[in-house]
Amino acid sequence: MAGLKQVQRQTGVALWRQIADRIREAIGNGAYDETGMVPPETVLALQFGVNRHTVRSALAALAQEGIVRAVQGRGTLIERKERLNFPITRRTRFTAGIGDQAREMRALLLDEAQEEASAEVGSWLGLKQGEMVIRLETLRHADRRPVSKATSWFPAERFAGIGEAYRKHQSITKAFAELGLADYVRATTEVTAAHAATADLADLELTPGAILLIAKAMNTDLDGVPVQYSISRFAADRVQFTIDN
C-alpha cells in the first residue's frame, strides 16, 4: 500500500471520491499488478483511516466506471488499467491519434447551434464579439467506451453546413475537406485538469467527482487564419496526452 496518498477531510471533496481517485491512480501506476486485485476493504479502510462503508462507496464508483469488478469469494478484480495515448502535435487528429489503439471508433453529434460569438470565442477565432459562429457538441467513443466530449466553434460565414458534414463523416477533418479546407494545423493547446461537471457525467459514463483532462485548442488554416476553437473534455482514467513539438 506504500505510495497511496492520504485523504483530506474538510476539502469539499467527499472522502469516497478521494479514495476512488487514489485507488485509480495506484492502479494506473501498477501498484497492484502482482495480484491483479485491489486490497480488501478492511485493509483499505485502515490505510485511509475511514470505515468500510466509505471504501465500499469508492469501489462501487470505480466498478461503475469499469475499472474494477467485484468477484464473489475472491475480492475486487482490476478490470482495466490501460489508457489510450493521445498525441498533441502540429496536426492533431482524433482518429489518427488513437490509431490502432482501438478496434472501433465512433463519433456522435450531440447538438448544433448558430449563435453570436462570446468575448472568449471571438478572441480565439479572431472575430468581433457578436459575429456569428457555429457551435458543435460532439462525443467520441473508442471500443464502445466514451473517451471525450467536445464543444467546438467555427466561423459561421466560412463553414456553413459543417454540422451536417460532421454528422455524415464523423470527422472534423473530413467535414473541413467537404467545405473546401484541405489542411489545417494546431496553433495552440492549453491543458488543465478538473472534476467533471454534471453535464458531462452521463455522456462520459462517469461518477460524480471524476477527473477530466481539459484541452482548449485553436486550429488555423495554413495561412494562420483561425478555423476552430474547441474545449475537449477527456476522461482522465482512459486517456493520457503526449506533447510532440
Side-chain angles (χ1 to χ4, degrees), residues 8 36 47 55 75 86 96 103 107 122 128 140 147 174 183 196 243 245:
Q8 297 179 336
Q47 171 72 22
V55 171
F86 186 72
R103 295 180 298 277
K128 295 179 181 178
R140 301 299 302 251
V147 172
K174 292 179 180 178
D183 197 9
I243 310 298
N245 293 324

Side-chain angles (χ1 to χ4, degrees), residues 137-203:
E137 303 282 348
T138 58
L139 182 67
R140 301 299 302 251
H141 289 76
D143 291 336
R144 301 185 182 182
R145 283 190 296 162
V147 172
S148 72
K149 184 179 178 183
T151 306
S152 299
W153 294 266
F154 310 84
E157 183 176 356
R158 184 172 182 182
F159 296 110
I162 194 166
E164 183 57 36
Y166 183 85
R167 185 180 287 107
K168 178 167 61 176
H169 297 293
Q170 298 187 29
S171 163
I172 293 294
T173 300
K174 292 179 180 178
F176 273 149
E178 180 173 314
L179 299 177
L181 179 62
D183 197 9
Y184 63 100
V185 294
R186 176 64 56 89
T188 304
T189 304
E190 297 177 359
V191 178
T192 57
H195 288 284
T198 302
D200 293 331
L201 292 176
D203 287 327

Side-chain angles (χ1 to χ4, degrees), residues 41-158:
E41 292 177 3
T42 51
V43 174
L44 290 170
L46 181 63
Q47 171 72 22
F48 289 111
V50 298
N51 59 45
R52 290 181 63 183
H53 177 75
T54 303
V55 171
R56 196 170 296 129
S57 296
L59 293 175
L62 294 175
Q64 184 175 334
E65 294 174 25
I67 296 171
V68 301
R69 174 168 56 91
V71 180
Q72 189 171 6
R74 291 185 59 194
T76 304
L77 177 70
I78 295 171
E79 190 86 325
R80 187 184 74 242
K81 62 167 289 185
E82 74 279 1
R83 289 184 174 93
L84 296 170
N85 183 57
F86 186 72
I88 297 177
T89 68
R90 179 170 167 78
R91 281 184 167 78
T92 295
R93 309 287 191 264
F94 184 92
T95 302
I98 298 299
D100 59 3
Q101 298 175 75
R103 295 180 298 277
E104 175 190 351
M105 285 184 281
R106 185 164 61 100
L108 298 175
L109 178 60
L110 302 177
D111 190 32
E112 174 188 4
Q114 186 161 308
E115 59 193 26
E116 294 183 354
S118 66
E120 177 185 356
V121 171
S123 175
W124 280 84
L125 289 177
L127 303 174
K128 295 179 181 178
Q129 185 174 350
E131 285 192 65
M132 300 307 295
V133 293
I134 296 172
R135 173 177 52 81
L136 302 185
E137 303 282 348
T138 58
L139 182 67
R140 301 299 302 251
H141 289 76
D143 291 336
R144 301 185 182 182
R145 283 190 296 162
V147 172
S148 72
K149 184 179 178 183
T151 306
S152 299
W153 294 266
F154 310 84
E157 183 176 356
R158 184 172 182 182

